[in-house]
Amino acid sequence: MSDADLLARLRGGDHAAFEAIFRQWYEPVVRSANRVLHDPGVAEELSQDVFLELWRRRETLAPDSSVAGYLLQAVRNRSLNHLRHLQVQKKSVVYVEALSEPADHADAETQAGELQVAIRDAIDALPPRTREVFLMSRERNLRYSEIAELLGVTVKAVEANMSRALRQLREKLSPFLPSSGA
């Protein structure tokens, strides 16, 4: 049976003609969709939609239409529309995230700035020798024994100064620390 005969019978509502078209063109239509989409599941779904639409529009098809041309063009269009839809979804997600991000980012920057100032103030408020020991340990990464040697004190004195520094910093920075009592 020729394509023209199949089309004429399809236009008349012949289910057997539709089944013949479906059997002949289903795999090529799915392959065509998959070449565009690179997703076999979506390619099959869109291909089924194309065949469903062919049945719905059967009465309006031009008598000289090409079944293959109609099917392959329809699945190509649906595949491209699907990809466009995915792009729109991605852009909208990025846009929505961008709308909520500035406030979160600004809050985080403000908090970080406040914390930096508080840390600097708390370090500056330490007694001079305690501050010196703390900075040598934390900024210059010196070991307690190296600090003791450079300052001409015992390791125990360095430990005592570090303990004092950490206790005072913890007290001054307590508003910024997570509360441990729950």
Side-chain angles (χ1 to χ4, degrees), residues 89-148:
Q89 279 183 323
K90 283 181 188 176
K91 285 179 184 176
S92 65
V93 166
V94 169
Y95 180 70
V96 168
E97 287 174 356
L99 286 177
S100 64
E101 186 177 299
D104 296 343
H105 187 65
D107 288 346
E109 279 187 11
T110 301
Q111 289 175 349
E114 290 173 359
L115 179 59
Q116 287 296 331
V117 168
I119 291 170
R120 184 49 54 200
D121 289 347
I123 291 172
D124 289 346
L126 293 173
R129 176 58 67 130
T130 302
R131 180 175 55 245
E132 185 178 21
V133 168
F134 178 79
L135 292 174
M136 290 174 91
S137 171
R138 295 303 194 251
E139 289 185 352
R140 293 174 54 191
N141 296 319
L142 297 176
R143 293 190 304 268
Y144 286 1
S145 60
E146 295 171 320
I147 296 170

Side-chain angles (χ1 to χ4, degrees), residues 6 8-23 55-56 58:
L6 274 176
R9 288 178 51 202
L10 176 66
R11 290 181 69 216
D14 185 340
H15 289 279
F18 177 76
E19 286 179 33
I21 292 169
F22 184 84
R23 278 194 307 274
W55 178 255
R56 285 186 189 141
R58 69 187 180 274

